[in-house]
Amino acid sequence: MIKTANRIANVEEYYFSRKLAEVRGLDTPELRVINLGIGSPDQAPSSNAIDALIASAKNPANHGYQNYKGIPAFRKAIADFYQTTYQTTIDPETMILPLMGSKEGIMHIAMAFVNEGEEVLIPNPGYPTYSSVANLVGAKLRPYDLKEDLNWGIDIAALKKSDLSKVKIMWVNFPHMPTGRVASRAELKELVDLAREHQFLIVNDNPYSLVLNDNPMSILSIEGAEDVALELNSLSKSHNMAGWRLGWVAGKKELIEAVLKVKSNMDSGMFLGLQHAATEALKNGKEWFTSLNKVYAERKAVAQQLLDILGCTYSNDQSGLFVWAKAPAHITDVEKWIDEILYGTKVFITPGFIFGEAGRRYIRISLCCTVESLNQALTRVDAFLKKSAVSDLSTAKA
Ligand SMILES: Cc1ncc(COP(=O)(O)O)c(C=O)c1O
């Protein structure tokens, strides 16, 4: 066997890449798996975006390599989106770099800014890619806790007291996945001030800003952010385009140029048809988001009923594509419990441990599933719990 590089020694295949293969294996025509795990929107993108892709793909002139920085119309559409959505002005020429989604940017930014041994602040719980990427670039991981008693806010006072001299990047992700927490402007300002004081890069990963959230905010709108902040954003969640791989990083020219140095050596621009489609999708107005969020709100109500049946507790005030909930106290091993539910009902729910140690007592339900499927999941889980209660009782009697 050829020996692998040391850098992958601490990195595992992405949890969903492994687990979903197992979940798919349980699927049978008699009883289909209901996957409440992953945040991959199931609704269609807007028809103007699809039409633009088709029209563009039909043009033989559109299939060559593209400019590494994307076409001006796409960058202008992103800048317009920032103005309308976040009341933030960004220069389309110099402050935007299109990406294959926000996930890709996490790697490029780490490659561009972090040296081996430098520290990276990572939310706990949080999106697992921040830590995998930190491991891949040989950084030292410094998880920072989001505290349930602070309504999943960051304990900024504790951070301030710690030694931040070796920190190179702080990843933040508001609205936060998996807890659904939205940061206030004051909190973001405090974090930006901290980044300025200690001269580290603060990156807000912002793909959920328009899902069940009344106050979309960009870190780039915070006073003082321009020198120390980048923002990742994406059409995956807000525009139902997760599989298209469309996103971007925005920020100061010099920071974007550093990311471009890495990215332009890794791929060769984005298919023009995708850029045309994204340009159209970004024109979707208020009605698009109102109808999208109406669907998610209906689903959320059923997801909460399911959580009630499971005996979980949760906050009503969560943004984004998921409901995050605490398992009942009598469940000692939440991962095992989730597997028992999966094998007993073919309903898959994400166990919170995959988001870090602070998620160990929690579970996450995705809203990327129809009301009908959520209702079916509810019926199955209810029957399973009743059956388990009867068998527990008979075991106790025996
Ligand atoms: C916090 C967070 N960041 C980034 C991503 C990846 O998004 P994209 O599809 O834009 O790469 C996800 C997807 O689940 C996410 O939850």
Side-chain angles (χ1 to χ4, degrees):
M1 176 65 188
I2 310 283
K3 200 170 173 322
T4 55
N6 297 339
R7 78 173 62 85
I8 67 165
N10 294 329
V11 180
E12 287 189 14
E13 185 186 342
Y14 195 50
Y15 170 81
F16 283 115
S17 160
R18 277 183 293 118
K19 189 70 184 177
L20 292 183
E22 183 195 342
V23 171
R24 273 193 299 274
L26 297 173
D27 194 45
T28 58
E30 298 77 45
L31 194 64
R32 305 247 70 126
V33 161
I34 301 176
N35 185 348
L36 305 179
I38 200 154
S40 180
D42 56 315
Q43 301 180 79
S46 57
S47 54
N48 56 335
I50 295 173
D51 292 346
L53 174 71
I54 295 169
S56 186
K58 282 187 175 162
N59 184 343
N62 288 358
H63 297 269
Y65 288 123
Q66 295 300 312
N67 181 337
Y68 292 93
K69 289 173 68 181
I71 56 171
F74 180 24
R75 278 185 273 112
K76 164 131 190 349
I78 294 169
D80 290 347
F81 174 83
Y82 262 66
Q83 199 64 60
T84 324
T85 313
Y86 312 120
Q87 296 76 52
T88 304
T89 306
I90 51 176
D91 176 11
E93 271 312 301
T94 58
M95 293 179 68
I96 296 165
L97 180 64
L99 299 173
M100 290 192 296
S102 144
K103 189 175 189 177
E104 186 203 15
I106 298 169
M107 185 71 193
H108 292 326
I109 292 170
M111 293 273 283
F113 292 100
V114 183
N115 292 310
E116 242 173 83
E118 285 179 330
E119 294 180 356
V120 175
L121 287 168
I122 287 166
N124 175 29
Y127 186 46
T129 301
Y130 309 131
S131 39
S132 316
V133 162
N135 278 322
L136 282 170
V137 299
K140 181 160 179 247
L141 273 71
R142 270 195 54 186
Y144 64 86
D145 286 351
L146 296 167
K147 295 274 174 63
E148 190 181 12
D149 51 4
L150 295 176
N151 188 21
W152 297 109
I154 301 174
D155 189 347
I156 302 179
L159 258 187
K160 278 183 178 163
K161 279 192 213 136
S162 68
D163 176 8
L164 298 174
S165 61
K166 295 196 188 69
V167 172
K168 198 59 185 289
I169 293 187
M170 177 177 195
W171 294 104
V172 295
N173 160 226
F174 291 115
H176 181 252
M177 193 291 300
T179 68
R181 170 69 145 70
V182 177
S184 68
R185 183 163 285 280
E187 260 174 303
L188 282 185
K189 171 84 175 98
E190 234 185 310
L191 292 169
V192 164
D193 287 347
L194 205 61
R196 289 178 72 87
E197 187 186 334
H198 295 277
Q199 283 300 294
F200 58 75
L201 181 68
I202 180 163
V203 187
N204 187 33
D205 184 14
N206 201 10
Y208 296 100
S209 71
L210 287 156
V211 183
L212 296 178
N213 178 24
D214 294 332
N215 284 311
M217 207 188 319
S218 164
I219 197 166
L220 301 177
S221 70
I222 305 293
E223 195 198 334
E226 58 276 8
D227 290 330
V228 290
L230 283 173
E231 184 154 85
L232 289 166
N233 218 322
S234 159
L235 298 185
S236 293
K237 320 287 180 180
S238 51
H239 292 73
N240 298 339
M241 296 173 96
W244 296 51
R245 311 309 302 132
L246 282 163
W248 62 87
V249 54
K252 184 179 169 162
K253 177 173 180 272
E254 290 75 7
L255 299 176
I256 293 292
E257 278 170 355
V259 183
L260 179 65
K261 251 192 203 178
V262 177
K263 181 166 163 66
S264 60
N265 282 297
M266 292 209 167
D267 64 55
S268 299
M270 183 186 285
F271 172 45
L272 187 55
L274 281 176
Q275 298 191 58
H276 284 144
T279 306
E280 279 304 311
L282 282 163
K283 291 180 188 158
N284 293 351
K286 223 172 166 185
E287 329 71 61
W288 166 265
F289 297 106
T290 307
S291 82
L292 191 81
N293 284 315
K294 186 165 172 281
V295 171
Y296 286 133
E298 284 162 9
R299 293 174 175 187
K300 190 174 191 170
V302 188
Q304 290 181 334
Q305 285 174 38
L306 174 56
L307 289 166
D308 293 341
I309 285 185
L310 286 166
C312 294
T313 47
Y314 50 86
S315 149
N316 269 323
D317 187 20
Q318 299 186 34
S319 290
L321 278 183
F322 308 95
V323 189
W324 177 248
K326 192 170 197 171
H330 70 272
I331 303 294
T332 45
D333 183 339
V334 177
E335 185 184 2
K336 190 163 151 251
W337 184 53
I338 285 296
D339 273 343
E340 283 164 9
I341 294 169
L342 172 65
Y343 304 138
T345 66
K346 296 200 184 178
V347 173
F348 176 55
I349 295 170
T350 305
F353 82 91
I354 72 158
F355 305 108
E357 201 41 48
R360 210 159 264 290
R361 296 235 26 95
Y362 296 81
I363 63 173
R364 189 194 78 170
I365 290 189
S366 164
L367 302 178
C368 299
C369 190
T370 61
V371 164
E372 293 70 34
S373 296
L374 281 160
N375 270 319
Q376 266 183 37
L378 205 145
T379 309
R380 284 189 205 174
V381 169
D382 193 31
F384 172 74
L385 293 176
K386 283 182 178 142
K387 206 168 120 200
S388 312
V390 171
S391 75
D392 283 356
L393 207 63
S394 44
T395 323
K397 274 187 192 150

